[in-house]
Amino acid sequence: MHALIEPLESRPVWHQSNQDLDHDLVSLRQRLESGAQQLLEGWLDFKQHWTYEALALSPYPRLTFNGTWRKWTFYRNGDGWNRELCSGFPLLCSMLGTSLAERSQGAQVLGPSQEEVAINELTPGTHILPHAGPQYRLQLHMGLAGLKDSYLGVFTGSWQPDGEPDVAYETWQAGVVTPIFDDSYTHYTRASPFGLEARAVLDVGVLQPDFLRKYKAQ
């Protein structure tokens, strides 16, 4: 829990009925899905250029097991859009444009990456170990490539009768915004070891709706 904010209304995974309660989330989901085919094609074009391949970072090596995690960060609220990356994937950057900044305008700023647009790629067989982020952020995922038999596990905060933690298992679909989950719930990822290509997911981090209701200037 962040020391500067009070507890927020939360749920581990935001299903359709939860998303529909927030107009901004619905609008963002629809915007991404309306251009899904172009985004899928744009990702393939982006990957064909070695200059953009070389710009990938390897985040959180201590969380990465049995493979490689590569990340391209196109946008952070503290930095704006990365012009070099956007030159390789202009559709993604123009599609989201100023929508994130407009949505959060007037909100309390707690860090330079409280809103973020990135693509995360895992080589086949990679495990991302359990971890959690800030309570004020939701993660919106859209599958891009290498999705078969890969999954995300989100600890729900409940316990099963046998004492084991309850986990919501989510998968990705190409061109579909799913799952949407609360970054503050412990979660982990497994990329299928049988895949022939890396698992790639578009990850849009946005401020939690309840945070905006409480901490955005009216």
Side-chain angles (χ1 to χ4, degrees):
M1 182 178 300
H2 197 285
L4 299 180
I5 63 176
E6 62 186 72
L8 300 173
E9 179 184 334
S10 66
R11 55 185 63 84
V13 179
W14 286 58
H15 298 293
Q16 183 80 40
S17 59
N18 310 129
Q19 299 169 33
D20 289 345
L21 297 175
D22 186 86
H23 175 268
D24 291 337
L25 284 184
V26 173
S27 177
L28 182 56
R29 184 189 73 213
Q30 291 176 342
R31 181 177 304 187
L32 290 169
E33 292 183 345
S34 67
Q37 187 57 44
Q38 295 96 319
L39 288 172
L40 295 174
E41 293 170 358
W43 169 242
L44 294 178
D45 291 341
F46 181 84
K47 286 285 289 177
Q48 290 177 358
H49 296 278
W50 67 267
T51 52
Y52 302 123
E53 280 278 301
L55 296 175
L57 300 178
S58 298
Y60 309 113
R62 292 183 179 181
L63 293 177
T64 308
F65 176 74
N66 199 40
T68 302
W69 177 5
R70 305 174 74 214
K71 180 178 181 179
W72 294 263
T73 301
F74 288 81
Y75 174 84
R76 296 199 320 160
N77 61 283
D79 305 319
W81 290 97
N82 183 309
R83 293 185 179 182
E84 191 170 11
L85 288 177
C86 285
S87 69
F89 204 159
L91 175 68
L92 172 61
C93 302
S94 63
M95 181 179 291
L96 294 176
T98 60
S99 60
L100 298 185
E102 290 173 354
R103 179 175 182 269
S104 61
Q105 185 175 10
Q108 184 175 350
V109 177
L110 298 175
S113 60
Q114 66 185 29
E115 291 190 295
E116 184 177 79
V117 178
I119 293 177
N120 289 294
E121 183 183 74
L122 304 180
T123 56
T126 301
H127 295 186
I128 303 302
L129 302 178
H131 62 285
Q135 69 179 112
Y136 49 76
R137 190 169 63 201
L138 295 183
Q139 302 297 121
L140 286 72
H141 282 189
M142 172 186 274
L144 297 174
L147 309 172
K148 182 176 173 58
D149 297 327
S150 297
Y151 66 90
L152 168 77
V154 182
F155 293 92
T156 67
S158 300
W159 299 87
Q160 298 180 4
D162 61 2
E164 291 294 315
D166 186 61
V167 180
Y169 292 101
E170 303 289 331
T171 57
W172 298 277
Q173 300 178 48
V176 179
V177 177
T178 187
I180 298 177
F181 65 97
D182 188 319
D183 199 24
S184 68
Y185 284 79
T186 300
H187 51 281
Y188 64 96
T189 301
R190 299 287 186 270
S192 171
F194 307 110
L196 299 178
E197 61 179 336
R199 188 234 61 167
V201 167
L202 171 63
D203 186 351
V204 181
V206 300
L207 288 173
Q208 217 250 45
D210 193 39
F211 177 86
L212 289 177
R213 284 191 288 269
K214 292 179 178 178
Y215 293 98
K216 184 174 181 179
Q218 300 300 316

